[in-house]
Amino acid sequence: RRFLASKEQFHAYLRARGEPGGQAGGGGKVEEEEVEEKEEEEVGSCQSEPPAKRVKSEDLGQDGERREDAGAEEKEPVERKRARGQNKSRPCMKPNHYEQSRLCPSVTQGCAEKCYFGPRCRFLHDVGEYMAAKPADLGHSCVLFDTFGKCIYGVTCRFAQAHLGNGYQNIINTDLAKQWEGKSLVRNNLSKDLQHQLRKRKFIFKKADEYLRGLAKPHGDGGKGGKAMGRSTEEQEVSNCTTPQEGLGDSPECPVLLEQGEDPKPDTLQSPGPTGGEEASSVKTVGLVTDEDIIKLRSCEKKKLEIQGKLYLAPLTTCGNLPFRRICKRFGADVTCGEMAVCTNLLQGQSSEWALLKRHHTEDIFGVQLEGAFPDTMTKCAELLNQTIEVDFVDINVGCPIDLVYKKGGGCALMTRSNKFEQIVRGMNSVLDVPLTVKIRTGVQEKINVAHKIIPKIREWGASMVTLHGRSREQRYTRGADWDYIAECAKIASPMPLFGNGDILSYEDANRAMQMGVSGIMIARQVPVGALIKPWLFTEIKEQRHWDISSSERFDILKDFTNYGLEHWGSDTQGVEKTRKFLLEWLSFLCRYIPVGLLEHLPQKINERPPYYMGRDYLETLMASQNVDDWIKISELLLGPVPTSFTFLPKHKANSYR
């Protein structure tokens, strides 16, 4: 209790200390008398607790007196309103907000005479003029130059003094540069050629079009065409597979249709599309035609997804970027997955969406997650990725609870649209050469679980694995995950692997989860989170210990993240500010971590909201602050001062405590 403090004491301490690293000393330890007085005050006013918790304690008064006497307070809905979901209409910091005069890329790359924009170019071409207006450098060493022997950003680098010679010439360490020559550090980039094909709609979706023609084919009974499509030609091929797991759901009788009160349609199990001869004659081939071009890959011949018992870092919107995944990989994550990508944006060739698919060379087991609501776009997107990027699996997001996705029929809404859901899974499975996985929730409504009914169908439709988040859409990320229900679903899913997800913040939580009979655990949800609060959780699970990590060690993790960010997004002003933005997003979660040495009982629970407390030193106290200004202060320790009129509002509101 000696670390407890009031809100006023907490912020006064941070304001009084100017530099990190100093010991808290007497200022960090509240005297026993003050603590006792504070505890007495907590009974009445709860001033030592954050507003959200104060509201709850008032609402849940022991004898009801507080509710009756708080008539005036109840008239203030602003204080009682819980923060939910996303901060919409956030201020957007664009490059021209923090860099008015930008140098032309042709000058940076050493080919000023070949400017891409010609006489219409609005960027500077005079290096001297640019350097006169350029802000001061942020440090004496450039991570790109130190790592790769060359910084491609040249004079625009915010650490340029480390690699600029006379006349602003960019210095190159030839010996170090040769070591990296020809090596691909980041894969799955979007080429200009492919982007042009997608924008002009010239990319050919041969397999997807064949599958979709089968869906559109009219049937004799006038029913919905091709509901069980995807079994067609694949069905007959799979019948030769003897593995029980691969053959599940391949019998002529379809229990899915019977459960939904419809008659099984034998027509839908026949070969759907137009005759192969007609189509083959119109396809232009280059070179020799091999067996691979003609013979379709059977399900039992697909690459297996063998990740049972491994630690799976969940796809995390905004914060699950490549630099963060590198941090988690270093701490022991076995399986990583890119951020949720919207299939329609990928099909349009949007660079920002394709950036979510990038894979670092250290990610040995890597997948991508797709979100969509219709079989045509999802099947085409699956075929596109199958041909153009390197992944070990593709995941369908059927767990996203946000309104923007749900109202369009994607995410959790697919759990209530079984026809479309089936067509999507079967279609994607028919065009992919890698395993297909599905991530779902317990259901849409809070007290109505439907996952146990859907999981057997997903297995029959051809998915290789299911991940179940133990909360419904209405619960979002509040309340505790229902691990008893996850255990029940794991038995139903067998022999298909089922990974459980929810409320994993310590190795003890992980051990309890594995005892439920799941094949593995997925760590880090959006809110509340495990890996975003403590990325070293993977190390704790593998070493079966609680790690009382110091503030300096945590600060070193942030340093590594900024270095990875500068490598990935660039070391020029634009790259520095993008790195700062994602660092601040991560800090909005990191502040919820409570050091092990300060806890009265272990482990920390993911939904517990602590009172204000003083850390064991200034830096630990600063990292515990939930004030945006303090997060910005930490970013300035790593990336220098923020630009003029800088503003930041985290994407996600505080919705993890209840």
Side-chain angles (χ1 to χ4, degrees):
R1 291 184 176 184
R2 61 196 177 97
F3 295 104
L4 290 175
S6 67
K7 179 179 179 179
E8 292 75 17
Q9 289 172 324
F10 180 85
H11 290 295
Y13 173 71
L14 289 179
R15 284 195 300 270
R17 301 296 298 268
E19 296 293 330
Q23 294 298 318
K29 300 178 182 179
V30 183
E31 296 181 1
E32 294 296 332
E33 294 80 3
E34 294 178 345
V35 172
E36 290 174 6
E37 291 174 7
K38 190 73 202 122
E39 288 173 354
E40 292 174 4
E41 292 174 2
E42 284 175 5
V43 178
S45 64
C46 294
Q47 289 181 359
S48 71
E49 299 181 0
K53 189 171 183 181
R54 193 158 66 239
V55 168
K56 185 190 173 185
S57 60
E58 291 173 1
D59 188 41
L60 302 176
Q62 293 180 356
D63 52 2
E65 293 180 2
R66 196 155 189 77
R67 295 182 182 176
E68 295 171 7
D69 299 339
E73 295 178 7
E74 288 179 356
K75 294 178 183 178
E76 299 178 3
V78 178
E79 292 184 8
R80 299 181 65 84
K81 187 177 179 181
R82 293 186 62 242
R84 299 182 67 92
Q86 297 185 3
N87 284 312
K88 299 176 182 178
S89 303
R90 295 190 300 156
C92 180
M93 291 291 290
K94 295 183 178 179
N96 57 2
H97 291 172
Y98 46 73
E99 191 175 28
Q100 299 295 332
S101 303
R102 300 176 64 188
L103 194 65
C104 181
S106 62
V107 178
T108 308
Q109 296 168 14
C111 51
E113 64 281 356
K114 298 179 181 179
C115 179
Y116 311 115
F117 307 103
R120 296 179 295 114
C121 184
R122 55 188 175 83
F123 298 112
L124 291 177
H125 284 254
D126 187 342
V127 177
E129 184 183 351
Y130 171 78
M131 293 299 288
K134 181 187 172 186
D137 280 356
L138 302 175
H140 299 285
S141 63
C142 172
V143 63
L144 293 175
F145 181 72
D146 294 342
T147 306
F148 306 110
K150 179 183 178 181
C151 177
I152 60 174
Y153 296 95
V155 293
T156 62
C157 175
R158 293 301 304 276
F159 308 87
Q161 58 182 303
H163 50 79
L164 282 188
N166 296 329
Y168 304 123
Q169 290 298 314
N170 200 21
I171 300 172
I172 299 175
N173 184 338
T174 51
D175 294 335
L176 188 56
K178 282 181 181 178
Q179 297 178 18
W180 293 98
E181 194 173 345
K183 293 183 180 179
S184 177
L185 301 178
V186 177
R187 289 170 276 179
N188 301 346
N189 293 298
L190 175 64
S191 66
K192 290 292 181 184
D193 226 14
L194 177 59
Q195 188 178 44
H196 180 77
Q197 288 183 48
L198 293 172
R199 287 179 173 176
K200 299 296 181 182
R201 299 188 179 181
K202 292 182 179 179
F203 192 90
I204 299 172
F205 300 97
K206 181 181 175 183
K207 292 181 181 178
D209 287 340
E210 180 184 347
Y211 173 80
L212 295 170
R213 277 195 296 269
L215 290 182
K217 184 179 179 182
H219 294 267
D221 57 359
K224 294 181 180 178
K227 182 187 171 201
M229 197 53 249
R231 310 181 83 157
S232 56
T233 54
E234 182 185 350
E235 188 77 19
Q236 299 163 8
E237 294 164 4
V238 173
S239 62
N240 297 326
C241 306
T242 55
T243 310
Q245 182 173 348
E246 312 301 333
L248 282 171
D250 291 333
S251 60
E253 298 177 0
C254 183
V256 179
L257 299 177
L258 295 175
E259 284 182 15
Q260 293 172 348
E262 300 179 14
D263 296 324
K265 304 181 179 78
D267 306 8
T268 60
L269 303 181
Q270 302 303 318
S271 184
T275 44
E278 294 174 8
E279 187 174 351
S281 62
S282 63
V283 176
K284 296 180 181 180
T285 59
V286 178
L288 296 174
V289 179
T290 64
D291 289 346
E292 188 179 354
D293 299 318
I294 303 172
I295 302 173
K296 189 176 180 181
L297 195 68
R298 298 181 299 171
S299 294
C300 60
E301 295 174 332
K302 284 187 178 182
K303 180 183 175 182
K304 306 297 180 192
L305 185 63
E306 298 177 352
I307 61 173
Q308 284 87 338
K310 294 185 181 293
L311 298 179
Y312 184 174
L313 173 66
L316 300 165
T317 308
T318 306
C319 293
N321 45 63
L322 187 143
F324 175 76
R325 297 199 304 270
R326 287 183 66 182
I327 293 287
C328 293
K329 194 70 187 167
R330 201 184 73 193
F331 280 114
D334 299 310
V335 185
T336 54
C337 187
E339 300 174 59
M340 180 188 78
V342 180
C343 65
T344 49
N345 295 344
L346 293 174
L347 290 171
Q348 292 168 6
Q350 291 186 15
S351 302
S352 57
E353 207 72 21
W354 276 82
L356 305 178
L357 310 180
K358 290 185 178 180
R359 173 184 189 173
H360 196 260
H361 69 94
T362 57
E363 297 180 274
D364 46 354
I365 306 177
F366 175 77
V368 295
Q369 187 183 68
L370 298 181
E371 182 278 320
F374 301 99
D376 56 343
T377 52
M378 289 290 277
T379 306
K380 286 182 177 181
C381 190
E383 183 175 2
L384 170 65
L385 301 187
N386 193 60
Q387 294 184 36
T388 56
I389 67 173
E390 297 178 33
V391 290
D392 298 298
F393 64 92
V394 175
D395 185 61
I396 306 175
N397 187 339
V398 193
C400 183
I402 64 174
D403 295 338
L404 182 66
V405 172
Y406 183 81
K407 289 178 180 177
K408 291 182 179 179
C412 283
L414 282 176
M415 297 183 74
T416 62
R417 303 167 69 224
S418 56
N419 284 9
K420 295 296 182 189
F421 192 7
E422 178 180 2
Q423 291 170 359
I424 287 172
V425 175
R426 289 192 185 280
M428 292 179 69
N429 194 46
S430 68
V431 301
L432 284 171
D433 295 333
V434 295
L436 178 69
T437 66
V438 181
K439 185 173 187 304
I440 63 175
R441 283 178 175 256
T442 59
V444 175
Q445 295 172 307
E446 185 170 346
K447 296 181 180 179
I448 304 177
N449 294 334
V450 296
H452 63 284
K453 298 178 182 178
I454 297 175
I455 287 172
K457 300 177 185 180
I458 295 174
R459 181 183 61 204
E460 291 163 5
W461 299 338
S464 299
M465 189 187 85
V466 167
T467 303
L468 177 59
H469 185 179
R471 296 181 179 88
S472 66
R473 176 185 179 262
E474 284 187 355
Q475 288 175 304
R476 297 280 177 129
Y477 303 100
T478 57
R479 301 184 184 273
D482 190 348
W483 276 93
D484 291 331
Y485 182 66
I486 293 175
E488 179 187 333
C489 291
K491 295 176 183 176
I492 295 172
S494 182
M496 178 181 65
L498 183 142
F499 270 52
N501 172 224
D503 296 354
I504 306 294
L505 194 60
S506 68
Y507 77 89
E508 294 166 343
D509 295 334
N511 292 345
R512 277 193 294 271
M514 289 302 295
Q515 290 169 6
M516 293 292 185
V518 296
S519 303
I521 52 175
M522 177 184 277
I523 298 175
R525 205 50 269 134
Q526 189 54 43
V527 187
V529 289
L532 284 180
I533 291 178
K534 45 188 284 191
W536 54 92
L537 173 59
F538 299 100
T539 302
E540 289 190 350
I541 293 173
K542 290 192 171 181
E543 298 181 1
Q544 293 290 292
R545 68 184 178 96
H546 291 293
W547 184 358
D548 188 10
I549 187 169
S550 67
S551 59
S552 59
E553 289 174 307
R554 290 164 63 195
F555 192 71
D556 288 339
I557 295 172
L558 297 179
K559 278 184 184 176
D560 291 336
F561 177 84
T562 55
N563 287 337
Y564 295 157
L566 293 173
E567 279 183 34
H568 185 56
W569 292 302
S571 59
D572 58 345
T573 302
Q574 192 169 348
V576 167
E577 293 312 315
K578 185 168 275 193
T579 303
R580 189 193 306 276
K581 169 194 164 186
F582 286 107
L583 173 64
L584 291 170
E585 292 283 2
W586 187 22
L587 286 170
S588 70
F589 293 100
L590 277 175
C591 64
R592 301 177 190 175
Y593 171 71
I594 309 171
V596 170
L598 274 60
L599 289 172
E600 290 184 357
H601 57 85
L602 294 172
Q604 176 185 352
K605 295 299 181 183
I606 208 160
N607 273 4
E608 287 180 346
R609 186 168 194 173
Y612 286 97
Y613 66 89
M614 298 291 191
R616 291 165 290 191
D617 55 40
Y618 172 82
L619 189 55
E620 193 166 76
T621 309
L622 184 65
M623 289 179 171
S625 174
Q626 297 191 25
N627 189 338
V628 176
D629 292 335
D630 292 324
W631 304 339
I632 293 175
K633 189 182 295 184
I634 293 174
S635 80
E636 289 182 321
L637 296 175
L638 296 161
L639 294 168
V642 296
T644 311
S645 69
F646 177 84
T647 58
F648 174 75
L649 187 65
K651 181 177 181 181
H652 296 276
K653 298 177 183 178
N655 188 29
S656 58
Y657 304 113
R658 186 164 182 171

